[in-house]
Amino acid sequence: MSSLRYSRPRILLHWGFAFIILWATVSGFTNALVELPSPLPDVIGFINVSLTALLIPFFVLRIGYALAQPGPAHAHRGNALGSFLAKAGHLALYIATALVLATGVLMMDRPIDLFGLASLPQPLNEPSLIEFFNRCHRVFCIALALLVAGHIGAVALHHLTGQPVLARMKH
C-alpha cells in the first residue's frame, strides 16, 4: 500500500476492536476485582459475552484485511530492531486477541446469548474443561491487557519523539 494511511476498513476495524477490547478489559477486570451491586455484574457479563462473541467474525475479517492490505509503506521504517519489535508486538496482539476470544467461548457454561437476538449453543459440557478454559481466559486477558498498554505506550512514545504514527489510523 503506497498511502500514508491505512485503508478505511482497517481503520474502522482497528477502532472498533480498540473500543470493545478496552471496554471488555476495564469492565471485566472491574467485575472480577470489585464488589459491584446486583445486577451490575450480570449486566456487564451479558454485554461482554455478546460483544466479544460478535467480534469473532470481525476478527477473521481483520486478519484478512491485514494480510491483503499491509500497512503504509513507511509503517516499519527505521532500524531493524524497531521494525522487528513493531511487527512482533502487532503479532502478539493478534495472537492474544485470538486466544482471549477462543477461550472466552470455550469457558462458557451456558449457551452464548447475542444481545437477545440469537443464541449459540454451549460449546463444551465437561465442567473440568470449562474450568480449564476459564483459567486460560483469565491469563490471556491479563496478557492482552499488558500488550494493549504496551501498544498505547509505543504510540505515545512515537508521538513524543516526533513520529505521529496515530495519524495513520485516522481517515
Side-chain angles (χ1 to χ4, degrees), residues 67-117:
L67 293 172
Q69 298 179 354
H74 67 287
H76 298 296
R77 164 182 84 191
N79 65 36
L81 178 61
S83 178
F84 171 77
L85 291 174
K87 289 176 183 178
H90 284 98
L91 179 60
L93 280 166
Y94 280 118
I95 291 170
T97 300
L99 291 170
V100 166
L101 292 173
T103 58
V105 168
L106 294 172
M107 70 178 230
M108 294 302 296
D109 59 359
R110 63 191 175 281
I112 301 167
D113 188 337
L114 303 172
F115 292 112
L117 302 173

mmCIF file of all heavy atoms in Angstrom, residues 67-117:
data_model
loop_
_atom_site.group_PDB
_atom_site.id
_atom_site.type_symbol
_atom_site.label_atom_id
_atom_site.label_comp_id
_atom_site.label_asym_id
_atom_site.label_seq_id
_atom_site.Cartn_x
_atom_site.Cartn_y
_atom_site.Cartn_z
ATOM 1 N N LEU A 67 -3.693 -9.170 6.031
ATOM 2 C CA LEU A 67 -2.908 -9.947 5.070
ATOM 3 C C LEU A 67 -3.023 -9.382 3.654
ATOM 4 O O LEU A 67 -2.046 -9.349 2.910
ATOM 5 C CB LEU A 67 -3.351 -11.409 5.096
ATOM 6 C CG LEU A 67 -3.050 -12.161 6.394
ATOM 7 C CD1 LEU A 67 -3.715 -13.539 6.368
ATOM 8 C CD2 LEU A 67 -1.557 -12.276 6.630
ATOM 9 N N ALA A 68 -4.225 -8.936 3.289
ATOM 10 C CA ALA A 68 -4.462 -8.447 1.930
ATOM 11 C C ALA A 68 -3.977 -7.019 1.718
ATOM 12 O O ALA A 68 -3.588 -6.656 0.608
ATOM 13 C CB ALA A 68 -5.948 -8.538 1.595
ATOM 14 N N GLN A 69 -4.028 -6.220 2.777
ATOM 15 C CA GLN A 69 -3.661 -4.811 2.663
ATOM 16 C C GLN A 69 -2.674 -4.453 3.772
ATOM 17 O O GLN A 69 -3.070 -3.932 4.813
ATOM 18 C CB GLN A 69 -4.891 -3.924 2.779
ATOM 19 C CG GLN A 69 -5.912 -4.133 1.715
ATOM 20 C CD GLN A 69 -7.121 -3.223 1.912
ATOM 21 O OE1 GLN A 69 -7.249 -2.521 2.904
ATOM 22 N NE2 GLN A 69 -8.016 -3.240 0.957
ATOM 23 N N PRO A 70 -1.400 -4.710 3.537
ATOM 24 C CA PRO A 70 -0.412 -4.353 4.552
ATOM 25 C C PRO A 70 -0.474 -2.855 4.846
ATOM 26 O O PRO A 70 -1.044 -2.081 4.079
ATOM 27 C CB PRO A 70 0.923 -4.723 3.908
ATOM 28 C CG PRO A 70 0.582 -5.682 2.824
ATOM 29 C CD PRO A 70 -0.809 -5.323 2.370
ATOM 30 N N GLY A 71 0.115 -2.469 5.949
ATOM 31 C CA GLY A 71 0.082 -1.070 6.362
ATOM 32 C C GLY A 71 0.829 -0.169 5.411
ATOM 33 O O GLY A 71 1.390 -0.615 4.405
ATOM 34 N N PRO A 72 0.849 1.114 5.728
ATOM 35 C CA PRO A 72 1.573 2.082 4.891
ATOM 36 C C PRO A 72 3.019 1.646 4.687
ATOM 37 O O PRO A 72 3.624 1.016 5.561
ATOM 38 C CB PRO A 72 1.492 3.369 5.706
ATOM 39 C CG PRO A 72 0.272 3.203 6.555
ATOM 40 C CD PRO A 72 0.204 1.735 6.867
ATOM 41 N N ALA A 73 3.585 2.011 3.536
ATOM 42 C CA ALA A 73 4.938 1.593 3.187
ATOM 43 C C ALA A 73 5.956 2.000 4.240
ATOM 44 O O ALA A 73 6.918 1.291 4.485
ATOM 45 C CB ALA A 73 5.315 2.173 1.826
ATOM 46 N N HIS A 74 5.745 3.111 4.889
ATOM 47 C CA HIS A 74 6.711 3.593 5.879
ATOM 48 C C HIS A 74 6.369 3.153 7.300
ATOM 49 O O HIS A 74 7.012 3.583 8.245
ATOM 50 C CB HIS A 74 6.803 5.114 5.819
ATOM 51 C CG HIS A 74 5.531 5.793 6.265
ATOM 52 N ND1 HIS A 74 4.403 5.805 5.492
ATOM 53 C CD2 HIS A 74 5.232 6.438 7.402
ATOM 54 C CE1 HIS A 74 3.442 6.464 6.148
ATOM 55 N NE2 HIS A 74 3.919 6.848 7.296
ATOM 56 N N ALA A 75 5.395 2.293 7.444
ATOM 57 C CA ALA A 75 4.934 1.920 8.780
ATOM 58 C C ALA A 75 6.028 1.265 9.617
ATOM 59 O O ALA A 75 6.043 1.392 10.828
ATOM 60 C CB ALA A 75 3.729 0.978 8.683
ATOM 61 N N HIS A 76 6.969 0.565 8.988
ATOM 62 C CA HIS A 76 8.025 -0.109 9.753
ATOM 63 C C HIS A 76 9.401 0.418 9.370
ATOM 64 O O HIS A 76 10.385 -0.285 9.435
ATOM 65 C CB HIS A 76 7.938 -1.623 9.537
ATOM 66 C CG HIS A 76 6.651 -2.196 10.022
ATOM 67 N ND1 HIS A 76 6.280 -2.185 11.338
ATOM 68 C CD2 HIS A 76 5.624 -2.757 9.351
ATOM 69 C CE1 HIS A 76 5.089 -2.730 11.472
ATOM 70 N NE2 HIS A 76 4.665 -3.076 10.280
ATOM 71 N N ARG A 77 9.430 1.676 8.981
ATOM 72 C CA ARG A 77 10.687 2.313 8.607
ATOM 73 C C ARG A 77 11.527 2.506 9.862
ATOM 74 O O ARG A 77 11.017 2.642 10.953
ATOM 75 C CB ARG A 77 10.335 3.644 7.929
ATOM 76 C CG ARG A 77 11.464 4.622 7.813
ATOM 77 C CD ARG A 77 10.967 5.880 7.181
ATOM 78 N NE ARG A 77 10.373 6.723 8.210
ATOM 79 C CZ ARG A 77 9.669 7.791 7.950
ATOM 80 N NH1 ARG A 77 9.402 8.138 6.728
ATOM 81 N NH2 ARG A 77 9.191 8.519 8.926
ATOM 82 N N GLY A 78 12.810 2.543 9.703
ATOM 83 C CA GLY A 78 13.693 2.785 10.835
ATOM 84 C C GLY A 78 14.669 1.649 10.995
ATOM 85 O O GLY A 78 14.944 0.910 10.060
ATOM 86 N N ASN A 79 15.172 1.511 12.197
ATOM 87 C CA ASN A 79 16.172 0.470 12.413
ATOM 88 C C ASN A 79 15.538 -0.912 12.447
ATOM 89 O O ASN A 79 14.341 -1.065 12.628
ATOM 90 C CB ASN A 79 16.961 0.760 13.699
ATOM 91 C CG ASN A 79 16.101 0.682 14.944
ATOM 92 O OD1 ASN A 79 15.203 -0.140 15.042
ATOM 93 N ND2 ASN A 79 16.402 1.541 15.909
ATOM 94 N N ALA A 80 16.362 -1.906 12.275
ATOM 95 C CA ALA A 80 15.871 -3.287 12.198
ATOM 96 C C ALA A 80 15.218 -3.720 13.503
ATOM 97 O O ALA A 80 14.200 -4.410 13.480
ATOM 98 C CB ALA A 80 17.017 -4.226 11.830
ATOM 99 N N LEU A 81 15.784 -3.321 14.627
ATOM 100 C CA LEU A 81 15.204 -3.699 15.916
ATOM 101 C C LEU A 81 13.821 -3.085 16.085
ATOM 102 O O LEU A 81 12.882 -3.765 16.504
ATOM 103 C CB LEU A 81 16.119 -3.275 17.075
ATOM 104 C CG LEU A 81 15.585 -3.580 18.476
ATOM 105 C CD1 LEU A 81 15.375 -5.082 18.655
ATOM 106 C CD2 LEU A 81 16.513 -3.018 19.541
ATOM 107 N N GLY A 82 13.666 -1.819 15.745
ATOM 108 C CA GLY A 82 12.363 -1.158 15.848
ATOM 109 C C GLY A 82 11.333 -1.816 14.960
ATOM 110 O O GLY A 82 10.188 -2.025 15.368
ATOM 111 N N SER A 83 11.738 -2.171 13.766
ATOM 112 C CA SER A 83 10.830 -2.844 12.832
ATOM 113 C C SER A 83 10.419 -4.205 13.384
ATOM 114 O O SER A 83 9.238 -4.570 13.348
ATOM 115 C CB SER A 83 11.508 -2.989 11.481
ATOM 116 O OG SER A 83 10.680 -3.679 10.583
ATOM 117 N N PHE A 84 11.392 -4.952 13.893
ATOM 118 C CA PHE A 84 11.099 -6.262 14.475
ATOM 119 C C PHE A 84 10.145 -6.135 15.655
ATOM 120 O O PHE A 84 9.177 -6.895 15.767
ATOM 121 C CB PHE A 84 12.391 -6.957 14.916
ATOM 122 C CG PHE A 84 12.134 -8.199 15.719
ATOM 123 C CD1 PHE A 84 11.750 -9.372 15.088
ATOM 124 C CD2 PHE A 84 12.251 -8.178 17.098
ATOM 125 C CE1 PHE A 84 11.490 -10.522 15.827
ATOM 126 C CE2 PHE A 84 11.994 -9.317 17.846
ATOM 127 C CZ PHE A 84 11.612 -10.493 17.216
ATOM 128 N N LEU A 85 10.412 -5.182 16.549
ATOM 129 C CA LEU A 85 9.556 -5.004 17.728
ATOM 130 C C LEU A 85 8.131 -4.619 17.341
ATOM 131 O O LEU A 85 7.170 -5.105 17.936
ATOM 132 C CB LEU A 85 10.160 -3.972 18.680
ATOM 133 C CG LEU A 85 11.438 -4.393 19.398
ATOM 134 C CD1 LEU A 85 12.002 -3.223 20.205
ATOM 135 C CD2 LEU A 85 11.190 -5.596 20.278
ATOM 136 N N ALA A 86 8.004 -3.767 16.335
ATOM 137 C CA ALA A 86 6.663 -3.357 15.885
ATOM 138 C C ALA A 86 5.904 -4.554 15.318
ATOM 139 O O ALA A 86 4.739 -4.782 15.666
ATOM 140 C CB ALA A 86 6.776 -2.253 14.837
ATOM 141 N N LYS A 87 6.563 -5.326 14.472
ATOM 142 C CA LYS A 87 5.908 -6.495 13.889
ATOM 143 C C LYS A 87 5.590 -7.539 14.954
ATOM 144 O O LYS A 87 4.497 -8.113 14.966
ATOM 145 C CB LYS A 87 6.778 -7.098 12.789
ATOM 146 C CG LYS A 87 6.846 -6.227 11.547
ATOM 147 C CD LYS A 87 7.792 -6.802 10.510
ATOM 148 C CE LYS A 87 7.903 -5.865 9.318
ATOM 149 N NZ LYS A 87 8.856 -6.367 8.320
ATOM 150 N N ALA A 88 6.533 -7.787 15.852
ATOM 151 C CA ALA A 88 6.316 -8.773 16.923
ATOM 152 C C ALA A 88 5.197 -8.316 17.856
ATOM 153 O O ALA A 88 4.365 -9.129 18.282
ATOM 154 C CB ALA A 88 7.608 -8.996 17.706
ATOM 155 N N GLY A 89 5.157 -7.034 18.169
ATOM 156 C CA GLY A 89 4.110 -6.504 19.047
ATOM 157 C C GLY A 89 2.731 -6.649 18.436
ATOM 158 O O GLY A 89 1.775 -7.061 19.113
ATOM 159 N N HIS A 90 2.624 -6.349 17.154
ATOM 160 C CA HIS A 90 1.326 -6.487 16.490
ATOM 161 C C HIS A 90 0.913 -7.956 16.383
ATOM 162 O O HIS A 90 -0.250 -8.297 16.598
ATOM 163 C CB HIS A 90 1.348 -5.818 15.114
ATOM 164 C CG HIS A 90 1.273 -4.338 15.191
ATOM 165 N ND1 HIS A 90 2.373 -3.529 15.116
ATOM 166 C CD2 HIS A 90 0.225 -3.508 15.384
ATOM 167 C CE1 HIS A 90 2.008 -2.262 15.246
ATOM 168 N NE2 HIS A 90 0.703 -2.224 15.414
ATOM 169 N N LEU A 91 1.863 -8.818 16.067
ATOM 170 C CA LEU A 91 1.563 -10.247 16.005
ATOM 171 C C LEU A 91 1.112 -10.754 17.377
ATOM 172 O O LEU A 91 0.138 -11.505 17.476
ATOM 173 C CB LEU A 91 2.785 -11.028 15.512
ATOM 174 C CG LEU A 91 2.608 -12.549 15.416
ATOM 175 C CD1 LEU A 91 1.477 -12.911 14.452
ATOM 176 C CD2 LEU A 91 3.921 -13.204 14.992
ATOM 177 N N ALA A 92 1.788 -10.320 18.428
ATOM 178 C CA ALA A 92 1.408 -10.728 19.787
ATOM 179 C C ALA A 92 -0.002 -10.244 20.128
ATOM 180 O O ALA A 92 -0.775 -10.979 20.757
ATOM 181 C CB ALA A 92 2.418 -10.200 20.802
ATOM 182 N N LEU A 93 -0.352 -9.029 19.699
ATOM 183 C CA LEU A 93 -1.714 -8.522 19.930
ATOM 184 C C LEU A 93 -2.747 -9.389 19.220
ATOM 185 O O LEU A 93 -3.792 -9.724 19.792
ATOM 186 C CB LEU A 93 -1.843 -7.076 19.459
ATOM 187 C CG LEU A 93 -1.318 -6.008 20.399
ATOM 188 C CD1 LEU A 93 -1.183 -4.666 19.678
ATOM 189 C CD2 LEU A 93 -2.227 -5.869 21.613
ATOM 190 N N TYR A 94 -2.467 -9.771 17.981
ATOM 191 C CA TYR A 94 -3.393 -10.630 17.235
ATOM 192 C C TYR A 94 -3.528 -11.997 17.900
ATOM 193 O O TYR A 94 -4.632 -12.530 18.045
ATOM 194 C CB TYR A 94 -2.939 -10.800 15.777
ATOM 195 C CG TYR A 94 -3.290 -9.645 14.879
ATOM 196 C CD1 TYR A 94 -2.302 -8.898 14.249
ATOM 197 C CD2 TYR A 94 -4.613 -9.303 14.633
ATOM 198 C CE1 TYR A 94 -2.619 -7.840 13.406
ATOM 199 C CE2 TYR A 94 -4.949 -8.247 13.792
ATOM 200 C CZ TYR A 94 -3.947 -7.525 13.186
ATOM 201 O OH TYR A 94 -4.273 -6.477 12.351
ATOM 202 N N ILE A 95 -2.399 -12.578 18.301
ATOM 203 C CA ILE A 95 -2.435 -13.904 18.930
ATOM 204 C C ILE A 95 -3.176 -13.843 20.262
ATOM 205 O O ILE A 95 -4.032 -14.686 20.543
ATOM 206 C CB ILE A 95 -1.003 -14.461 19.112
ATOM 207 C CG1 ILE A 95 -0.403 -14.800 17.743
ATOM 208 C CG2 ILE A 95 -1.002 -15.680 20.036
ATOM 209 C CD1 ILE A 95 1.084 -15.120 17.776
ATOM 210 N N ALA A 96 -2.873 -12.840 21.075
ATOM 211 C CA ALA A 96 -3.550 -12.711 22.381
ATOM 212 C C ALA A 96 -5.049 -12.487 22.193
ATOM 213 O O ALA A 96 -5.865 -13.065 22.923
ATOM 214 C CB ALA A 96 -2.931 -11.583 23.197
ATOM 215 N N THR A 97 -5.415 -11.673 21.219
ATOM 216 C CA THR A 97 -6.839 -11.442 20.942
ATOM 217 C C THR A 97 -7.520 -12.744 20.540
ATOM 218 O O THR A 97 -8.610 -13.065 21.033
ATOM 219 C CB THR A 97 -7.014 -10.375 19.846
ATOM 220 O OG1 THR A 97 -6.410 -9.149 20.276
ATOM 221 C CG2 THR A 97 -8.487 -10.131 19.542
ATOM 222 N N ALA A 98 -6.877 -13.507 19.664
ATOM 223 C CA ALA A 98 -7.446 -14.795 19.234
ATOM 224 C C ALA A 98 -7.614 -15.735 20.419
ATOM 225 O O ALA A 98 -8.652 -16.394 20.563
ATOM 226 C CB ALA A 98 -6.555 -15.441 18.168
ATOM 227 N N LEU A 99 -6.620 -15.790 21.297
ATOM 228 C CA LEU A 99 -6.691 -16.678 22.457
ATOM 229 C C LEU A 99 -7.773 -16.236 23.442
ATOM 230 O O LEU A 99 -8.486 -17.068 24.007
ATOM 231 C CB LEU A 99 -5.324 -16.760 23.153
ATOM 232 C CG LEU A 99 -4.251 -17.493 22.356
ATOM 233 C CD1 LEU A 99 -2.881 -17.309 23.003
ATOM 234 C CD2 LEU A 99 -4.590 -18.970 22.211
ATOM 235 N N VAL A 100 -7.916 -14.938 23.647
ATOM 236 C CA VAL A 100 -8.967 -14.427 24.538
ATOM 237 C C VAL A 100 -10.342 -14.756 23.965
ATOM 238 O O VAL A 100 -11.238 -15.220 24.685
ATOM 239 C CB VAL A 100 -8.815 -12.907 24.774
ATOM 240 C CG1 VAL A 100 -10.061 -12.308 25.400
ATOM 241 C CG2 VAL A 100 -7.592 -12.633 25.649
ATOM 242 N N LEU A 101 -10.519 -14.533 22.668
ATOM 243 C CA LEU A 101 -11.820 -14.814 22.055
ATOM 244 C C LEU A 101 -12.137 -16.315 22.089
ATOM 245 O O LEU A 101 -13.254 -16.706 22.445
ATOM 246 C CB LEU A 101 -11.855 -14.290 20.617
ATOM 247 C CG LEU A 101 -11.839 -12.767 20.462
ATOM 248 C CD1 LEU A 101 -11.695 -12.381 18.988
ATOM 249 C CD2 LEU A 101 -13.080 -12.133 21.062
ATOM 250 N N ALA A 102 -11.163 -17.150 21.741
ATOM 251 C CA ALA A 102 -11.399 -18.598 21.710
ATOM 252 C C ALA A 102 -11.679 -19.147 23.107
ATOM 253 O O ALA A 102 -12.648 -19.901 23.302
ATOM 254 C CB ALA A 102 -10.197 -19.313 21.092
ATOM 255 N N THR A 103 -10.865 -18.774 24.085
ATOM 256 C CA THR A 103 -11.093 -19.286 25.437
ATOM 257 C C THR A 103 -12.356 -18.697 26.046
ATOM 258 O O THR A 103 -13.008 -19.352 26.860
ATOM 259 C CB THR A 103 -9.885 -19.032 26.360
ATOM 260 O OG1 THR A 103 -9.607 -17.625 26.404
ATOM 261 C CG2 THR A 103 -8.658 -19.801 25.889
ATOM 262 N N GLY A 104 -12.713 -17.482 25.635
ATOM 263 C CA GLY A 104 -13.961 -16.888 26.116
ATOM 264 C C GLY A 104 -15.172 -17.697 25.699
ATOM 265 O O GLY A 104 -16.124 -17.863 26.464
ATOM 266 N N VAL A 105 -15.126 -18.229 24.496
ATOM 267 C CA VAL A 105 -16.215 -19.095 24.021
ATOM 268 C C VAL A 105 -16.163 -20.444 24.729
ATOM 269 O O VAL A 105 -17.182 -20.953 25.210
ATOM 270 C CB VAL A 105 -16.133 -19.275 22.486
ATOM 271 C CG1 VAL A 105 -17.062 -20.378 22.017
ATOM 272 C CG2 VAL A 105 -16.464 -17.963 21.774
ATOM 273 N N LEU A 106 -14.979 -21.024 24.813
ATOM 274 C CA LEU A 106 -14.840 -22.375 25.362
ATOM 275 C C LEU A 106 -15.081 -22.453 26.866
ATOM 276 O O LEU A 106 -15.347 -23.526 27.390
ATOM 277 C CB LEU A 106 -13.457 -22.939 25.018
ATOM 278 C CG LEU A 106 -13.226 -23.178 23.525
ATOM 279 C CD1 LEU A 106 -11.785 -23.548 23.257
ATOM 280 C CD2 LEU A 106 -14.183 -24.233 22.990
ATOM 281 N N MET A 107 -15.029 -21.322 27.564
ATOM 282 C CA MET A 107 -15.259 -21.335 29.008
ATOM 283 C C MET A 107 -16.743 -21.181 29.368
ATOM 284 O O MET A 107 -17.109 -21.281 30.537
ATOM 285 C CB MET A 107 -14.471 -20.219 29.693
ATOM 286 C CG MET A 107 -14.985 -18.827 29.384
ATOM 287 S SD MET A 107 -14.057 -17.580 30.269
ATOM 288 C CE MET A 107 -15.421 -16.652 30.974
ATOM 289 N N MET A 108 -17.584 -20.984 28.372
ATOM 290 C CA MET A 108 -18.990 -20.734 28.646
ATOM 291 C C MET A 108 -19.673 -21.971 29.235
ATOM 292 O O MET A 108 -19.550 -23.065 28.700
ATOM 293 C CB MET A 108 -19.719 -20.283 27.375
ATOM 294 C CG MET A 108 -19.261 -18.930 26.863
ATOM 295 S SD MET A 108 -19.444 -17.590 28.060
ATOM 296 C CE MET A 108 -21.211 -17.555 28.230
ATOM 297 N N ASP A 109 -20.394 -21.749 30.336
ATOM 298 C CA ASP A 109 -21.113 -22.852 30.985
ATOM 299 C C ASP A 109 -22.605 -22.805 30.679
ATOM 300 O O ASP A 109 -23.417 -23.414 31.356
ATOM 301 C CB ASP A 109 -20.867 -22.828 32.495
ATOM 302 C CG ASP A 109 -21.326 -21.526 33.135
ATOM 303 O OD1 ASP A 109 -21.826 -20.623 32.427
ATOM 304 O OD2 ASP A 109 -21.179 -21.399 34.363
ATOM 305 N N ARG A 110 -22.939 -22.056 29.635
ATOM 306 C CA ARG A 110 -24.330 -21.917 29.192
ATOM 307 C C ARG A 110 -24.301 -21.493 27.728
ATOM 308 O O ARG A 110 -23.250 -21.108 27.222
ATOM 309 C CB ARG A 110 -25.063 -20.886 30.042
ATOM 310 C CG ARG A 110 -24.460 -19.487 29.920
ATOM 311 C CD ARG A 110 -25.005 -18.520 30.973
ATOM 312 N NE ARG A 110 -24.364 -17.245 30.947
ATOM 313 C CZ ARG A 110 -23.168 -16.961 31.468
ATOM 314 N NH1 ARG A 110 -22.459 -17.894 32.058
ATOM 315 N NH2 ARG A 110 -22.671 -15.753 31.406
ATOM 316 N N PRO A 111 -25.442 -21.515 27.043
ATOM 317 C CA PRO A 111 -25.469 -21.011 25.662
ATOM 318 C C PRO A 111 -25.028 -19.542 25.610
ATOM 319 O O PRO A 111 -25.181 -18.802 26.581
ATOM 320 C CB PRO A 111 -26.935 -21.160 25.249
ATOM 321 C CG PRO A 111 -27.446 -22.263 26.124
ATOM 322 C CD PRO A 111 -26.729 -22.090 27.442
ATOM 323 N N ILE A 112 -24.491 -19.148 24.485
ATOM 324 C CA ILE A 112 -23.974 -17.791 24.310
ATOM 325 C C ILE A 112 -25.083 -16.924 23.730
ATOM 326 O O ILE A 112 -25.498 -17.094 22.586
ATOM 327 C CB ILE A 112 -22.739 -17.806 23.397
ATOM 328 C CG1 ILE A 112 -21.649 -18.695 24.016
ATOM 329 C CG2 ILE A 112 -22.229 -16.402 23.145
ATOM 330 C CD1 ILE A 112 -20.518 -19.033 23.078
ATOM 331 N N ASP A 113 -25.560 -15.987 24.529
ATOM 332 C CA ASP A 113 -26.655 -15.089 24.148
ATOM 333 C C ASP A 113 -26.066 -13.870 23.443
ATOM 334 O O ASP A 113 -25.185 -13.198 23.982
ATOM 335 C CB ASP A 113 -27.420 -14.665 25.406
ATOM 336 C CG ASP A 113 -28.681 -13.896 25.095
ATOM 337 O OD1 ASP A 113 -28.792 -13.308 24.004
ATOM 338 O OD2 ASP A 113 -29.565 -13.876 25.964
ATOM 339 N N LEU A 114 -26.544 -13.587 22.246
ATOM 340 C CA LEU A 114 -26.068 -12.454 21.456
ATOM 341 C C LEU A 114 -27.076 -11.309 21.529
ATOM 342 O O LEU A 114 -27.870 -11.099 20.612
ATOM 343 C CB LEU A 114 -25.817 -12.886 20.011
ATOM 344 C CG LEU A 114 -24.830 -14.041 19.832
ATOM 345 C CD1 LEU A 114 -24.798 -14.503 18.394
ATOM 346 C CD2 LEU A 114 -23.460 -13.652 20.318
ATOM 347 N N PHE A 115 -27.050 -10.591 22.630
ATOM 348 C CA PHE A 115 -27.940 -9.455 22.872
ATOM 349 C C PHE A 115 -29.416 -9.818 22.748
ATOM 350 O O PHE A 115 -30.240 -8.993 22.385
ATOM 351 C CB PHE A 115 -27.611 -8.283 21.936
ATOM 352 C CG PHE A 115 -26.289 -7.640 22.221
ATOM 353 C CD1 PHE A 115 -25.239 -7.745 21.329
ATOM 354 C CD2 PHE A 115 -26.084 -6.917 23.381
ATOM 355 C CE1 PHE A 115 -24.027 -7.152 21.578
ATOM 356 C CE2 PHE A 115 -24.867 -6.315 23.645
ATOM 357 C CZ PHE A 115 -23.831 -6.433 22.749
ATOM 358 N N GLY A 116 -29.753 -11.059 23.032
ATOM 359 C CA GLY A 116 -31.138 -11.487 22.958
ATOM 360 C C GLY A 116 -31.646 -11.693 21.537
ATOM 361 O O GLY A 116 -32.802 -12.066 21.342
ATOM 362 N N LEU A 117 -30.800 -11.478 20.551
ATOM 363 C CA LEU A 117 -31.205 -11.616 19.146
ATOM 364 C C LEU A 117 -31.027 -13.035 18.638
ATOM 365 O O LEU A 117 -31.736 -13.471 17.734
ATOM 366 C CB LEU A 117 -30.395 -10.651 18.275
ATOM 367 C CG LEU A 117 -30.497 -9.175 18.642
ATOM 368 C CD1 LEU A 117 -29.517 -8.351 17.818
ATOM 369 C CD2 LEU A 117 -31.927 -8.685 18.428
#
